[in-house]
Amino acid sequence: MTTPEETSHSRIHAIFARWTTFSYHHALWVLLAALLVALASGLYVARNLGMNTDTAEMLSEELPFRVNLKRYDESFPQDIDTLLIVLDAPTPEQVRVAAENLAARLRQDPGHFYDVYSPRVDDFTARNGLLYQSVPELERITDSLAAAQPLITRINRDPSLTAFADVLTSAVDELDKGRNIELRPVLNGVNATLAARLNGSPRALSWQTMFSGEAQKNTYQELIIVKPKLDFSQLFPAEQSIAALHTAAESVGITASSPVRLRITGEVALAEDELNSSLRGMEYAGIITFVLVGVVLFFAMRNGGLILNVLICLLMGLILTATFATAVVGHLNLISIAFAVLYIGLGADFAIHFLLRYREVLENNHSPAEAIYISGGDAGAALTACTVTNAIGFYAFMPTDYSGVAELGIISGTGMIVSLLVTLIIGPALLRYLPRKLAAKPAEKSAIGKVLELSLKWHKLTYALTLAATVAALVILPQVRFDYNLLNMQDPQGGAVQTFRELLADPDLSPWHIAVLADNRQETDNLAKRLAELPEVNKVVTLLDFVPAQQEEKFSLIQEMALTIGPIAATPPPQVRIASDAILVDQYKSLRKLVTALERFAAQHPEHPAAATASALKSSLARLFAELDKVGSHEKSQLLYAVEDDLLAMLPLALQSLRTATEAGIFDEQDLPEALRDRWHSESGGYRLAVYPKEDLNDNDALRRFVRAVQQVAPHAIGVPVISLEAGEAVVQAFIQAFSLALIGVVVILLVLLRSIKYTLLVLLPLLLSSLFTTAFTILLDVPFNFANIIALPLLLGLGIDSSLHMVYRSINNELVSEILIHTSTARAIFYSALTALVDFASLMLSSHVGTASMGILLTVGLAFTLVCTLIILPALLRTPAARTKANA
């Protein structure tokens, strides 16, 4: 007498058997209809599917940090979605001129740029920059200028190498006579400039640094903040604006051969670099993956027709799923675009299970029509169960705050239903023609089954190892972590990333600071005071910090400085030089006199502070003469004129800047430039405070401490550190919520389908074990969860449920003991499905994008553990009830 459960199973089996048989017998019409639907759907997708690459839309607008970000964006829109242009040059004069010219050129291109702001390069800063120096610093600069004034005056009258060498010789002679002159900055600068030219890396001498008495650094830097126009309908939203920026740079002389180097970073450039590094090399990886998947399918199917059947089903399913996404969502985002990857991994699983079951039945001497009927009934019921559990797993992401994954959930969940329909409608129809003939073979044990027999033979060892691994994984589980640092996901060799990290190393330029909004001046002062007292805070900057203190005293020193240098008008070097023997002789003579003066001074005053510097310059001049002796007259002139340019080209710029700086005037907040005020005081009356960290925020613990400390004082604080932490926690919370809902839904469905608590637990146990082992390995491999690799979890969830459910379902419905089960098409299908997905994703590990590579590692490890738990541990667990049944019989 049959039980109600058996009767129900027979009905379900019959429904799917008739369904697949109908498709098989009406194959031509089914395939013709499928072709028409595919063409119409493909055309619809091509014309209507959009692309939204705005990462800000990935999380719900209702989250507190998104609300705060929106408020900040409305108050200071020029600070959102910006490019940060970094200019480097050997001298401050060169980098300032380059920044002025480039900023002016970009302002002439409103078609690509909303706003252009150069914080330290404008008329106001050039005129009032000295007021931001301290009083002792201004006194030192005044003294340096007073000492250098005669030298500057004489050289400016005749800006030639001969005159410069003569003036320097006179100064060294005065030093030799005992006069107190500070020549070390000049001698050091000239020596470094000559050495650079002789070493093949010429650079100009900075007179601006000599005027201030400072040693010349290797490089000087200026920043330009640009708000580009973005097109989020394009894969690379800022591509056109960045191209326009490079064109503008070339138009003002900033090229690969110029002394000024241009680099681009900032949130927009980082996003472009991240997407580019994610896609870079994927075309080659895709070809390799396609070949490897073909190899796996060949070993699985052993027939070209069956392989083609799988690929056609996959392609059809992808087209129909994309059609659903177009109709319901309207666009793909940077996360939901992964639906294709998920579909390939799970869709192939559906087709492989059905086709291998068909092959297995056929090999048992059934006709193709009988094989379709039997395999359709068997696989249809199991695949439907997998479809329901997978769809629930994906749909569980819909109510979360992670909008990007919520869209992925609805698309991929529906994709599972599409995959079932395609597999059971188009798959049988294709079998009418592909393959044309599949020879029946006597059943024999597969190599996979023979290997899996070992886990059953040594089942006690399997139990012991599983228990030990479970305990070990649970012990280290508390060490699992989520990396909130978005930079750590990107290609470390990317230009934008390297530049950004360089800026992070400078506390004064670090883009990683927190912005706090205040409603009025009093609140600004109170917040600045309270925030500055926090041990996690290095400094707090407000608009008031741009109005320097002690202006009257500083203004007096600047006036004294203006009197010291006098009315010097810069004389530029001649544009056209005529080489002549007379000029060459004069240059040689002057340089020889300088060498003699330096040698005499160093010999007579070895203890003098400037003696070592004089000796170093004498050695550099000796090297210069050695180089001159190797070449002809024309080359001699060229080299000496090059040295002249190195030494004197920056003098006119430095003098002009100095004259401008001595025209400073006392000012207050209202006199600040509008471009500066607008970045600290909004039109609505609000004020911005910039809070800089004391610790390195590359450390996640330091990041959390800094953000939480600032939020205690200013709960509405925003900025990259806040966004990184809050977005990361929102993502983690979304996945916890989704997996909790998915687990509850899957348990309920399994109880309904299997009508057994025991078998429900047997389905869930491999999933839970593989999840535990995979998490433990992320700790051992030091591959933390991040914004990229966490997307792999839905796929691992789907494949884990599919695999164990297929095994348990086949065990129940065909009443197979484990010893037989591991030799069935189900075990082979699980193995080859996981192997297909594994080779599909293993290539991701080679990506230059760290986040993508970590996703590849997580998927590879997770799929490997899914195989182990499903094909080794689960059969050993299923063995116990079977053994008891046999014993009772």
Side-chain angles (χ1 to χ4, degrees):
M1 183 175 179
T2 58
T3 65
E5 289 83 357
E6 291 172 336
T7 303
S8 175
H9 167 68
S10 299
R11 289 175 181 171
I12 294 173
H13 185 282
I15 290 172
F16 287 109
R18 294 191 187 104
W19 175 351
T20 51
T21 301
F22 178 87
S23 294
Y24 181 79
H25 287 303
H26 299 83
L28 182 60
W29 293 107
V30 170
L31 294 178
L32 181 59
L35 178 61
L36 294 176
V37 170
L39 292 175
S41 298
L43 187 61
Y44 174 72
V45 170
R47 290 182 175 179
N48 297 282
L49 183 61
M51 184 70 193
N52 183 8
T53 54
D54 187 357
T55 55
E57 299 299 323
M58 296 295 177
L59 291 166
S60 170
E61 293 182 351
E62 304 302 320
L63 289 170
F65 86 91
R66 287 292 309 276
V67 174
N68 294 336
L69 181 61
K70 183 178 180 181
R71 179 191 172 205
Y72 181 84
D73 194 3
E74 291 172 349
S75 299
F76 298 98
Q78 65 271 43
D79 289 342
I80 304 297
D81 293 332
T82 58
L83 290 170
L84 192 57
I85 303 171
V86 182
L87 296 174
D88 301 283
T91 69
E93 296 95 331
Q94 289 170 314
V95 75
R96 187 184 69 251
V97 170
E100 287 176 348
N101 293 339
L102 181 57
R105 176 66 184 81
L106 294 176
R107 291 188 184 101
Q108 297 172 6
D109 187 6
H112 289 104
F113 307 103
Y114 291 111
D115 183 71
V116 179
Y117 174 58
S118 47
R120 299 182 300 192
V121 181
D122 56 20
D123 291 339
F124 178 85
T125 305
R127 198 171 304 278
N128 297 289
L130 290 175
L131 288 172
Y132 291 98
Q133 302 287 346
S134 65
V135 171
E137 183 70 14
L138 280 176
E139 291 174 342
R140 186 183 63 79
I141 294 173
T142 302
D143 292 341
S144 296
L145 285 173
Q149 197 274 341
L151 176 69
I152 296 170
T153 302
R154 291 178 59 186
I155 296 174
N156 188 56
R157 284 199 298 263
D158 181 11
S160 65
L161 179 62
T162 300
F164 179 75
D166 290 343
V167 170
L168 202 55
T169 300
S170 300
V172 173
D173 287 341
E174 292 297 317
L175 198 64
D176 188 37
K177 294 175 183 177
R179 185 175 173 182
N180 186 20
I181 305 175
E182 181 52 83
L183 277 184
R184 280 180 298 176
V186 177
L187 297 178
N188 272 325
V190 174
N191 177 57
T193 303
L194 275 177
R197 167 62 64 177
L198 295 171
N199 291 333
S201 53
R203 67 168 191 177
L205 174 64
S206 172
W207 286 83
Q208 181 176 320
T209 58
M210 286 208 302
F211 291 166
S212 61
E214 300 174 351
Q216 185 172 344
K217 297 186 294 186
N218 291 328
T219 185
Y220 292 83
Q221 195 171 84
E222 289 294 348
L223 305 178
I224 302 175
I225 302 171
V226 174
K227 186 175 178 65
K229 290 189 174 180
L230 305 178
D231 183 0
F232 289 112
S233 66
Q234 300 296 316
L235 185 60
F236 295 94
E239 183 176 22
Q240 293 184 1
S241 295
I242 292 177
L245 196 161
H246 283 292
T247 301
E250 291 180 3
S251 70
V252 297
I254 303 175
T255 62
S257 60
S258 71
V260 181
R261 180 174 62 147
L262 179 143
R263 293 176 293 165
I264 304 173
T265 187
E267 56 187 304
V268 171
L270 288 170
E272 295 277 309
D273 258 22
E274 180 172 26
L275 187 55
N276 187 49
S277 64
S278 298
L279 299 176
R280 189 187 308 128
M282 284 298 101
E283 60 273 20
Y284 303 111
I287 295 172
I288 296 171
T289 299
F290 185 80
V291 172
L292 291 177
V293 168
V295 171
V296 172
L297 289 177
F298 172 77
F299 281 105
M301 303 297 178
R302 302 284 182 174
N303 184 279
L306 292 179
I307 295 173
L308 191 57
N309 194 317
V310 173
L311 297 178
I312 291 174
C313 287
L314 278 178
L315 180 60
M316 185 67 186
L318 278 173
I319 292 173
L320 293 179
T321 305
T323 303
F324 171 82
T326 306
V328 175
V329 181
H331 63 262
L332 296 177
N333 58 53
L334 292 177
I335 293 177
S336 64
I337 197 173
F339 90 87
V341 176
L342 298 179
Y343 186 89
I344 290 172
L346 293 170
D349 177 65
F350 280 44
I352 289 173
H353 273 281
F354 170 67
L355 294 175
L356 284 185
R357 179 59 177 148
Y358 168 78
R359 183 189 183 105
E360 183 181 49
V361 175
L362 203 63
E363 288 173 350
N364 288 326
N365 298 313
H366 289 280
S367 67
E370 291 172 336
I372 286 289
Y373 187 90
I374 296 171
S375 59
D378 288 347
L383 292 178
T384 300
C386 292
T387 298
V388 173
T389 53
N390 273 325
I392 289 175
F394 284 119
Y395 287 150
F397 287 91
M398 291 172 57
T400 67
D401 290 326
Y402 200 176
S403 304
V405 173
E407 292 179 4
L408 174 65
I410 188 173
I411 295 171
S412 297
T414 305
M416 296 302 95
I417 299 173
V418 169
S419 182
L420 175 69
L421 297 175
V422 168
T423 301
L424 297 182
I425 295 176
I426 298 177
L430 287 170
L431 286 174
R432 186 70 179 268
Y433 306 102
L434 295 173
R436 293 292 300 174
K437 187 176 181 181
L438 193 62
K441 297 188 301 182
E444 60 181 20
K445 292 183 178 181
S446 67
I448 299 170
K450 292 176 182 178
V451 173
L452 296 179
E453 283 180 348
L454 298 176
S455 68
L456 298 177
K457 182 178 179 181
W458 298 330
H459 60 276
K460 291 183 179 179
L461 179 60
T462 302
Y463 298 153
L465 290 176
T466 302
L467 180 61
T470 301
V471 172
L474 289 172
V475 169
I476 66 173
L477 191 62
Q479 300 178 38
V480 68
R481 61 191 178 92
F482 186 92
D483 189 355
Y484 301 99
N485 192 334
L486 295 169
L487 278 183
N488 290 341
M489 291 200 312
Q490 299 192 215
D491 179 7
Q493 303 304 317
V497 174
Q498 290 184 333
T499 304
F500 198 85
R501 288 194 183 278
E502 180 184 307
L503 294 178
L504 288 179
D506 187 339
D508 294 325
L509 297 177
S510 175
W512 272 16
H513 60 267
I514 291 179
V516 176
L517 297 183
D519 293 329
N520 50 58
R521 175 72 65 84
Q522 183 178 357
E523 185 182 4
T524 302
D525 293 340
N526 291 337
L527 283 172
K529 182 178 180 181
R530 293 173 62 194
L531 290 168
E533 294 172 351
L534 295 174
E536 296 83 2
V537 172
N538 179 43
K539 65 176 182 178
V540 180
V541 178
T542 70
L543 180 63
L544 301 180
D545 293 308
F546 293 93
V547 180
Q550 300 177 287
Q551 290 193 52
E552 291 80 4
E553 185 176 356
K554 294 175 182 178
F555 183 69
S556 298
L557 289 171
I558 293 172
Q559 287 183 314
E560 180 182 340
M561 189 185 303
L563 292 173
T564 300
I565 62 174
I568 299 176
T571 304
Q575 296 297 316
V576 179
R577 293 189 175 96
I578 301 174
S580 68
D581 291 339
I583 295 176
L584 186 61
V585 169
D586 289 343
Q587 290 172 330
Y588 254 84
K589 187 183 298 182
S590 297
L591 290 173
R592 290 289 186 190
K593 288 181 180 179
L594 178 57
V595 170
T596 301
L598 291 168
E599 188 173 16
R600 181 172 58 248
F601 168 74
Q604 295 181 1
H605 306 277
E607 303 300 324
H608 194 281
T613 307
S615 296
L617 178 56
K618 183 198 73 173
S619 299
S620 294
L621 287 168
R623 286 180 59 197
L624 175 62
F625 284 123
E627 292 296 322
L628 291 169
D629 291 340
K630 298 177 184 178
V631 296
S633 176
H634 179 68
E635 288 78 10
K636 283 186 174 68
S637 295
Q638 285 186 321
L639 177 56
L640 289 175
Y641 277 137
V643 170
E644 182 177 285
D645 283 338
D646 291 345
L647 293 173
L648 300 173
M650 295 298 108
L651 179 59
L653 292 175
L655 287 174
Q656 179 58 47
S657 295
L658 184 60
R659 292 302 310 174
T660 302
T662 57
E663 297 173 2
I666 297 174
F667 63 90
D668 56 23
E669 180 184 327
Q670 300 304 317
D671 299 317
L672 292 171
E674 183 179 356
L676 173 62
R677 288 201 316 272
D678 289 347
R679 279 167 168 76
W680 297 91
H681 187 193
S682 69
E683 293 182 359
S684 60
Y687 287 82
R688 178 170 77 94
L689 297 86
V691 187
Y692 290 83
K694 186 170 290 184
E695 297 180 275
D696 181 5
L697 296 191
N698 284 307
D699 179 356
N700 283 328
D701 292 333
L703 173 68
R704 181 182 294 276
R705 284 193 297 270
F706 176 56
V707 172
R708 295 301 182 226
V710 172
Q711 286 178 330
Q712 288 293 321
V713 177
H716 301 299
I718 197 63
V720 174
V722 177
I723 293 173
S724 296
L725 181 62
E726 297 292 355
E729 295 196 341
V731 169
V732 172
Q733 186 61 38
F735 273 85
I736 292 174
Q737 177 187 348
F739 275 95
S740 300
L741 292 173
L743 187 60
I744 294 171
V746 167
V747 168
V748 171
I749 292 299
L750 289 176
L751 287 173
V752 172
L753 292 174
L754 301 177
R755 302 182 182 182
S756 168
I757 296 176
K758 178 181 69 176
Y759 286 116
T760 297
L761 291 175
L762 284 171
V763 171
L764 292 175
L765 191 58
L767 172 65
L768 297 176
L769 287 176
S770 63
S771 300
L772 177 63
F773 297 156
T774 301
T775 303
F777 254 70
T778 65
I779 300 169
L780 296 176
L781 297 175
D782 193 26
V783 180
F785 288 106
N786 55 47
F787 290 94
N789 64 28
I790 202 169
I791 302 170
L793 297 182
L795 177 61
L796 295 177
L797 172 68
L799 282 173
I801 292 175
D802 275 9
S803 301
S804 55
L805 183 55
H806 277 297
M807 289 289 282
V808 172
Y809 209 90
R810 185 74 183 272
S811 174
I812 296 172
N813 294 327
N814 294 87
E815 299 181 350
L816 300 178
V817 295
S818 295
E819 286 78 4
I820 299 176
L821 182 62
I822 59 175
H823 294 290
T824 64
S825 64
T826 299
R828 292 196 300 275
I830 290 171
F831 176 79
Y832 285 115
S833 293
L835 192 59
T836 301
L838 195 146
V839 299
D840 186 17
F841 304 128
S843 61
L844 296 177
M845 293 190 294
L846 304 177
S847 172
S848 60
H849 185 265
V850 176
T852 303
S854 70
M855 185 192 301
I857 294 172
L858 188 62
L859 283 167
T860 303
V861 172
L863 288 170
F865 278 122
T866 297
L867 277 176
V868 170
C869 293
T870 306
L871 295 181
I872 296 178
I873 298 175
L874 181 57
L877 295 174
L878 286 170
R879 175 187 179 279
T880 302
R884 288 178 181 173
T885 301
K886 184 176 180 181
N888 291 336

